Amino acid sequence: MIRAAWQVPTDTSWIAGLNYFRNLAHALRLVENRTVEPVVIGDRSRMPWPLDECAGIPPPGPRRLRPGWWLYGAERVVLQNGGVVARHLERHGVDLLTHSAWLGRRSRVPAVCWIPDFQHHHLPHFFNAGEIRHRERQHRAVAESAQGLIVSSEMARDDFARRYPESNVPVFVLHFVAPAREDDDLPEIDEVLEAHGISEPFLHVPNQLWAHKNHRVVLEALRVLRDRGTCPLVISTGQTEDYRDASFAPGFFGRLRDAGLEERFRFLGLIAYKDMATLMRHSIAMVNPSLFEGWSTTVEEAKSLGKRLLLSDIPVHREQDPERGEFFDPSDAEGLAEKITAAVAAHDAEEERREREKAESALPGRMRAFGEDYQRIVHAVVGGRR
C-alpha cells in the first residue's frame, strides 16, 4: 500500500478546498483493490467524514519563527532535499506528498503539487500586485523543483505549458467529482424553507460572493425580468466576503438595494451544508455565472444531482460538459434573463425525478473513476522515483 499524505485546508474562507479532499477520500474508498492509503497531516478530529477516518500523522516542525526554522528553509531551497518536512514524512512511512508544496528535487519523499487554476493570468485586475508575485514565485518553484503537478482541467495544463515551457515536471489532469448527499442525511425541505424564509420556487446560485463569480450579471438579468413584469426568486449561498477586496460585497449589496431587488436576489450567506444541499436539490435550476473557474464544484454538484444548470460560456464549463447545461454569455444579462424564463417555464417535477435517478445511478462510477485516476497518478510518480 502506497501512503500518500495530504495537508488538508481547514480555513473556512476556502470551503471548496476542504470539500475537494473530502470527495477525493470518498472516491478512493470506492476503488476496488485499492493500493493507495490517504494520510492526513494534522488534527483529523476537526475534519468531516471521511477525512476523520483516514490514517493521520502530526504536522512536521519546527514552526515558523521557532529555532530551526531557518535550517528547514535552507535545506529545502538550497539543498533541495525537503529538510525536516521530508524527514518527518519518511519517519511516518509516507511515500508521497500530494496537493501540497514542493519539497525539492532531491527530496527522498517526492511531492506532487496542486495548482487549482491560473486565474491571476486571465483576470489580473482581481488581484493585488503582492498576491500575483506570490503566486508567480510558487508556480515557478513548482516548475523547477516538483516531482509532479496536478491540475483540474486541460485548460490549466495548457496554461502551465505556456507559462513554463522549459519545465520537465510531469503534469497530470485530475477531474474531480462532487458527490451528492444522501436523502437520509438531509433535513426536510419544508423545514429548510421555513428556516430561511423562502415561500416560493427559486433558482440557486451556490457561489461565494467574490468578484470573479459574476453575481452582477444575475442582478442585471433580474432587473430585465422585473421590468418585463415577472421576476423569479434567486437565492445565493456561500461566503459574502471577498478576501481580495473588502469593499466588493458592500458595494454589490448597495447596487442590489438601489435596484430594489434585495427581496428577489437573496443572499443567505454561509449556511449549514445540509441546508445548502437541500436547497440545491429542490431548486428550479442552479446558476453559475462565473467569469473563471479552475474546475467548477457547482457544475459537478449539478451533474451529480441531475439538475438543470444555467452556466457561463467559458472554456472550463465547456470542458466539464454537463448534460443539462445551458450556456449564456457571462456579460449578457438579456441572454441570462431568457435562460431563466425558459427554465422556470420548463420546470417539471417528474422530469426532475427521472434526471435525478439517472444521475444517482451514474454517480458511483464517476466517483470511482476519480479515485482510480488519482491512484494512477500516485503510481506513476512513486514508480518513476523507485
Side-chain angles (χ1 to χ4, degrees):
M1 187 74 75
I2 297 175
R3 284 165 58 87
W6 303 341
Q7 191 161 11
V8 178
T10 55
D11 184 352
T12 57
S13 69
W14 194 35
I15 297 297
L18 174 63
N19 287 337
Y20 180 100
F21 285 100
R22 292 182 65 190
N23 297 339
L24 180 55
H26 178 45
L28 275 174
R29 293 164 72 99
L30 298 177
V31 174
E32 297 178 3
N33 302 315
R34 179 168 57 88
T35 56
V36 172
E37 179 183 23
V39 178
V40 174
I41 301 172
D43 183 4
R44 289 167 297 148
S45 67
R46 298 174 55 207
M47 298 179 189
W49 182 91
L51 294 170
D52 59 344
E53 296 183 1
C54 292
I57 62 173
R63 295 180 180 178
R64 186 180 294 274
L65 303 182
R66 297 283 181 86
W69 176 258
W70 66 270
L71 180 61
Y72 161 61
E75 288 184 300
R76 179 171 176 258
V77 176
V78 178
L79 301 180
Q80 290 278 318
N81 66 2
V84 66
V85 174
R87 291 192 292 274
H88 176 81
L89 295 174
E90 194 171 23
R91 280 197 301 272
H92 285 87
V94 169
D95 302 290
L96 175 71
L97 177 66
T98 74
H99 295 81
S100 191
W102 58 276
L103 294 176
R105 292 187 298 274
R106 300 182 185 88
S107 172
R108 290 167 62 91
V109 176
V112 178
C113 301
W114 178 36
I115 299 179
D117 61 60
F118 294 85
Q119 184 189 151
H120 68 288
H121 294 317
H122 296 271
L123 302 174
H125 52 287
F126 288 142
F127 297 81
N128 63 49
E131 186 169 7
I132 290 176
R133 286 194 300 271
H134 175 68
R135 288 190 174 210
E136 288 291 323
R137 284 196 299 268
Q138 285 187 319
H139 295 174
R140 172 62 62 184
V142 168
E144 295 174 351
S145 302
Q147 282 75 37
L149 170 65
I150 289 173
V151 294
S152 297
S153 67
E154 295 291 345
M155 179 183 175
R157 173 155 56 186
D158 292 344
D159 282 342
F160 183 81
R162 281 193 296 269
R163 298 292 298 183
Y164 308 104
E166 74 288 352
S167 177
N168 294 318
V169 172
V171 182
F172 305 95
V173 177
L174 181 62
H175 292 157
F176 68 78
V177 177
R181 282 286 186 94
E182 298 290 338
D183 282 343
D184 292 345
D185 292 338
L186 300 178
E188 294 294 329
I189 181 60
D190 290 343
E191 296 175 14
V192 177
L193 294 177
E194 182 178 2
H196 297 285
I198 300 170
S199 58
E200 62 183 289
F202 59 91
L203 295 92
H204 186 190
V205 182
N207 291 353
Q208 64 263 42
L209 185 57
W210 290 5
H212 77 279
K213 293 296 186 178
N214 196 29
H215 292 75
R216 177 197 60 80
V217 75
V218 180
L219 187 161
E220 296 303 325
L222 291 179
R223 192 198 302 268
V224 169
L225 293 172
R226 191 265 315 277
D227 292 346
R228 293 178 182 174
T230 177
C231 188
L233 175 64
V234 177
I235 64 168
S236 182
T237 54
Q239 290 280 0
T240 56
E241 296 179 1
D242 189 338
Y243 76 95
R244 294 172 298 193
D245 183 0
S247 67
F248 178 75
F252 182 87
F253 289 135
R255 289 191 293 274
L256 193 60
R257 287 191 299 272
D258 292 344
L261 289 167
E262 62 265 50
E263 293 302 319
R264 307 314 297 160
F265 193 6
R266 291 189 50 207
F267 285 78
L268 305 184
L270 192 61
I271 64 175
Y273 182 79
K274 289 185 176 183
D275 283 11
M276 190 275 291
T278 301
L279 293 171
M280 191 181 293
R281 284 172 181 268
H282 293 274
S283 62
I284 293 171
M286 293 165 61
V287 185
N288 186 344
S290 185
L291 298 173
F292 189 91
E293 294 284 345
W295 190 257
S296 172
T297 301
T298 297
V299 174
E300 290 303 312
E301 288 172 331
K303 288 161 70 172
S304 296
L305 289 170
K307 292 297 297 183
R308 187 186 307 277
L309 179 64
L310 312 183
L311 71 165
S312 52
D313 195 352
I314 59 176
V316 165
H317 284 167
R318 288 287 182 178
E319 189 178 335
Q320 289 186 266
D321 191 28
E323 183 177 344
R324 300 189 73 197
E326 300 177 14
F327 295 91
F328 63 91
D329 182 336
S331 64
D332 182 8
E334 292 269 358
L336 176 55
E338 296 295 338
K339 295 291 184 183
I340 290 174
T341 299
V344 171
H347 184 66
D348 177 76
E350 181 59 25
E351 180 187 16
E352 292 299 308
R353 184 191 63 77
R354 291 194 304 269
E355 293 293 340
R356 180 172 161 188
E357 289 178 353
K358 184 168 68 173
E360 288 174 346
S361 178
L363 180 57
R366 294 175 58 233
M367 288 295 295
R368 188 179 305 111
F370 176 29
E372 290 169 347
D373 287 345
Y374 175 72
Q375 183 163 279
R376 278 192 288 270
I377 293 170
V378 169
H379 276 277
V381 176
V382 173
R385 285 299 292 271
R386 288 175 177 171

